[in-house]
Amino acid sequence: MASSFLSLLLKAAILGAVLLLPRLLWNYLTSPIKDIPGPFLAKFTNFWRLYSHWARTHIESQRELHEKYGSAVRIGPNCVSISDPSLISKIYSTRGEFVKSDLYRVADAHNDGKLVESIFSTRSNAFHSMYIKPVQKSFAIGSILKMEPLVDSTLESLCEHIEERFIEGANAGTSFDIASWAHLYTWDVISELTFSKKMGFLETGADVEGYIATNKFLMGYFNWVGQLPSLDQWLANNPLLFSPFKYPTFSGIAGICAQRMVERIQNPAQAKHDDFLNLFLQTKTDYPGIVRDEDIVGYLSLNLLGGADTIAIALSALVYHLLRNPAAHIRLVTELTTAGLAFPASYAVTSRLPYLSAVISESIRMHPSIGHILERVVPATGLELRDGRKIAPGTIVGMNPWIVARSTEVYGEDVDTFRPERWLQGEGESVEVYEARVTKMRNTEFAFGAGRRVCTGKPIAMVELHKAVATLFGRFEIELDDPKTQWELTKGWFVFPTKIMVKVRKAKGRT
Ligand code: HEM
């Protein structure tokens, strides 16, 4: 019985392959991008790239492929990875002619069996304009600086927890994973900025309600299912799946956002300063008929989903690179000590510290939080590469921030070295040469994306990073527990570092 079923299955598979082959061959022969080189299998099927994302080797394989084939590599029958930074302003223009691809469909929210677009996931410029406009000024640096006391209170809490748990009394000298604590910290900061209420990550020293783990799982899912978005209908978006086969969704986060919104409407005095919830609620009055309660829940959810892990990754990577580069570490600590910073350090002062800013720029270059191609669709006008080759309309193209950040043409041969000095004027370098060099590097910065769909949260990230790095390295002496041990990286849409084990002491002169 079993053997006849297996033989039936085998025959069905062979028949399927025989029927599919001519179609694959036809697609290959008629493809308008068949001259773009790439792995053999990728010319026929998206399973090639699905596998490399599923195996989490996509960053390495894209890098190797670009080294082998040049600035354009075909990584799917209709998908081309681009590494030429001079095309950033074209593909990611402020006009947005290259819209997001169907990859982003996998990031739509699920609501009562329906898919709901967000300002992050939408593929439509009209939708994006309509919903970004009401909240744009909430993300401007001026708004964020009004909320700075909310960052301060969380930073104070982080320092207190580090002291109590790892420095004082019987715990002195206990090593801990600073990447985990960076996560607990950034989730509490973003919830404080968003609803004037920490979610309790620092207080409990744990992943409250498993939000961090769920987000990590979902970002991993987005990473590989996005290579073949139709798979989503069979997996997370499949109404027939039931527990334990049901995929987790972002509904837990949306639920807490809805709850906070209702609490605030009932008790407006809960807000400390003008937090995001207040600013978003105001958009209902300012944009009547456009912003509804469910849109506010969407905005709030995006704050938590986009604004915690990203900054935790950036902060952890910075600590790791700095601790592995003693000269840079010493230079930063000297700058911070000389500046005589208040506790917690203010953004106004820290943003003017040149070495600190160089360390942040270099760390974001070495380790962009997102390690995935930001896919776009070539419009009717096509895309012309620098060497004159043309990419046909309808092709999915895009760049991976990790590949762009390793451009030797822009950053020099030492792209794999953490060297904050590259952002500063070199000895004997004229002002003109330095400015031209830095402008080229700044124009290539892609860790926050670029153009119309650039990250709205960049000012928050900059404020948080300057303040946290200055406060941590100003207040504590930090060292790797074992300098010979490497961190671990989990590569998906995000590139999560873990196991950055450190020991911390109070810096001399600090009480
Ligand atoms: C180090 C920190 C961060 C990094 C590296 C980062 C990176 C990015 C990147 C690369 C994109 C573009 C994605 C694409 O084109 O597919 C993006 C978009 C976005 N980010 Fe961030 N992000 C960070 C922090 C934040 C924060 C703090 C928030 C909000 C609180 C945020 C909210 C968003 C939103 C809403 C979008 C969609 C923007 C749009 O399409 O208009 N991000 N981010």
Side-chain angles (χ1 to χ4, degrees):
M1 178 73 180
S3 74
S4 64
F5 178 69
L6 278 179
S7 107
L8 194 70
L9 215 60
L10 190 67
K11 280 180 193 152
I14 293 172
L15 183 70
V18 168
L19 291 176
L20 206 61
L21 264 179
R23 195 190 148 151
L24 291 179
L25 206 61
W26 175 255
N27 286 350
Y28 168 68
L29 291 171
T30 57
S31 167
I33 54 167
K34 68 172 185 293
D35 295 339
I36 305 293
F40 180 72
L41 274 178
K43 295 177 206 285
F44 299 95
T45 168
N46 280 316
F47 278 101
W48 180 87
R49 63 187 176 117
L50 187 143
Y51 177 76
S52 85
H53 280 259
W54 184 77
R56 301 183 183 277
T57 54
H58 52 290
I59 298 177
E60 285 79 7
S61 61
Q62 284 164 18
R63 193 167 177 195
E64 278 164 25
L65 289 167
H66 280 294
E67 275 162 15
K68 184 168 171 191
Y69 295 119
S71 65
V73 178
R74 190 176 177 190
I75 55 167
N78 188 39
C79 182
V80 176
S81 168
I82 307 273
S83 67
D84 178 357
S86 73
L87 289 174
I88 293 178
S89 56
K90 175 99 197 155
I91 299 173
Y92 303 92
S93 77
T94 43
R95 286 189 304 281
E97 298 96 333
F98 289 63
V99 292
K100 286 193 171 183
S101 75
D102 269 353
L103 153 77
Y104 294 91
R105 216 174 72 191
V106 181
D108 283 346
H110 296 218
N111 191 356
D112 279 342
K114 279 189 298 199
L115 290 180
V116 185
E117 293 182 54
S118 67
I119 50 173
F120 169 75
S121 73
T122 185
R123 282 74 72 202
S124 148
N125 278 339
F127 179 101
H128 183 255
S129 298
M130 185 150 77
Y131 287 101
I132 193 85
K133 212 163 155 231
V135 292
Q136 223 149 19
K137 67 174 190 295
S138 316
F139 288 96
I141 188 74
S143 295
I144 309 305
L145 289 180
K146 286 192 197 140
M147 302 179 205
E148 192 170 351
L150 299 171
V151 181
D152 286 342
S153 66
T154 322
L155 206 42
E156 279 166 17
S157 172
L158 171 69
C159 292
E160 278 162 24
H161 281 285
I162 290 180
E163 285 166 24
E164 279 165 22
R165 291 169 191 254
F166 310 114
I167 297 182
E168 286 166 2
N171 300 333
T174 311
S175 65
F176 64 99
D177 182 5
I178 200 155
S180 300
W181 279 82
H183 260 102
L184 303 178
Y185 167 67
T186 55
W187 274 83
D188 264 349
V189 183
I190 201 67
S191 53
E192 185 78 356
L193 289 171
T194 305
F195 335 101
S196 296
K197 197 165 183 169
K198 297 184 190 61
M199 285 164 84
F201 290 90
L202 288 171
E203 196 53 46
T204 55
D207 178 6
V208 177
E209 306 277 341
Y211 288 128
I212 298 176
T214 306
N215 209 25
K216 202 168 181 178
F217 175 86
L218 289 168
M219 290 303 171
Y221 176 85
F222 178 46
N223 167 52
W224 68 272
V225 173
Q227 309 312 303
L228 207 58
S230 53
L231 271 185
D232 187 44
Q233 287 149 25
W234 299 94
L235 301 171
N237 198 20
N238 182 348
L240 300 177
L241 282 188
F242 49 88
S243 288
F245 304 106
K246 204 153 182 58
Y247 278 79
T249 65
F250 296 117
S251 53
I253 287 289
I256 200 153
C257 291
Q259 188 189 328
R260 294 275 185 267
M261 183 179 76
V262 171
E263 286 165 6
R264 178 66 56 86
I265 292 169
Q266 288 165 351
N267 181 8
Q270 271 180 347
K272 299 181 215 150
H273 305 274
D274 241 349
D275 61 10
F276 276 105
L277 180 47
N278 263 12
L279 296 173
F280 292 163
L281 280 171
Q282 181 60 34
T283 63
K284 254 190 357 170
T285 315
D286 296 347
Y287 293 83
I290 294 180
V291 182
R292 300 153 304 167
D293 283 349
E294 57 263 46
D295 300 315
I296 294 178
V297 172
Y299 291 141
L300 296 168
S301 305
L302 269 188
N303 261 28
L304 300 191
L305 298 170
D309 288 341
T310 45
I311 301 181
I313 295 169
L315 182 57
S316 312
L318 185 150
V319 171
Y320 181 76
H321 283 299
L322 203 59
L323 295 183
R324 293 194 82 83
N325 288 277
H329 184 185
I330 291 169
R331 190 166 171 187
L332 178 69
V333 171
T334 309
E335 183 181 78
L336 297 174
T337 315
T338 314
L341 301 171
F343 170 68
S346 79
Y347 181 67
V349 172
T350 53
S351 60
R352 285 197 215 103
L353 297 176
Y355 200 68
L356 173 62
S357 295
V359 165
I360 292 173
S361 296
E362 182 63 349
S363 174
I364 288 173
R365 183 193 72 79
M366 279 296 280
H367 192 110
S369 303
I370 294 177
H372 196 289
I373 291 178
L374 308 182
E375 291 185 5
R376 300 292 188 266
V377 180
V378 177
T381 43
L383 170 67
E384 183 167 340
L385 303 181
R386 225 198 296 186
D387 58 13
R389 281 180 297 168
K390 305 257 189 335
I391 308 276
T395 309
I396 296 171
V397 292
M399 302 188 191
N400 186 328
W402 275 70
I403 306 297
V404 176
R406 298 295 195 275
S407 165
T408 49
E409 188 188 330
V410 175
Y411 298 105
E413 287 305 317
D414 63 349
V415 281
D416 289 317
T417 306
F418 176 83
R419 192 170 62 80
E421 282 71 12
R422 79 174 79 244
W423 297 91
L424 302 172
Q425 189 174 359
E427 251 181 51
E429 187 177 35
S430 72
V431 176
E432 294 75 36
V433 171
Y434 165 64
E435 278 173 358
R437 192 170 60 75
V438 163
T439 304
K440 199 169 171 188
M441 296 198 294
R442 292 268 175 237
N443 290 343
T444 306
E445 276 178 306
F446 192 55
F448 291 93
R452 190 181 180 112
R453 306 299 295 273
V454 70
C455 176
T456 48
K458 185 174 177 185
I460 303 178
M462 285 300 133
V463 170
E464 279 194 39
L465 287 171
H466 277 83
K467 289 172 68 73
V469 176
T471 302
L472 289 174
F473 283 92
R475 191 161 182 83
F476 300 118
E477 285 175 11
I478 310 175
E479 59 182 5
L480 286 169
D481 185 35
D482 175 7
K484 289 198 249 17
T485 307
Q486 303 268 334
W487 60 0
E488 285 180 16
L489 297 180
T490 308
K491 298 172 185 171
W493 171 261
F494 289 146
V495 184
F496 287 102
T498 47
K499 305 229 169 88
I500 308 175
M501 300 304 294
V502 296
K503 279 190 181 153
V504 172
R505 281 188 303 275
K506 278 264 189 71
K508 288 188 189 74
R510 297 280 177 186
T511 49

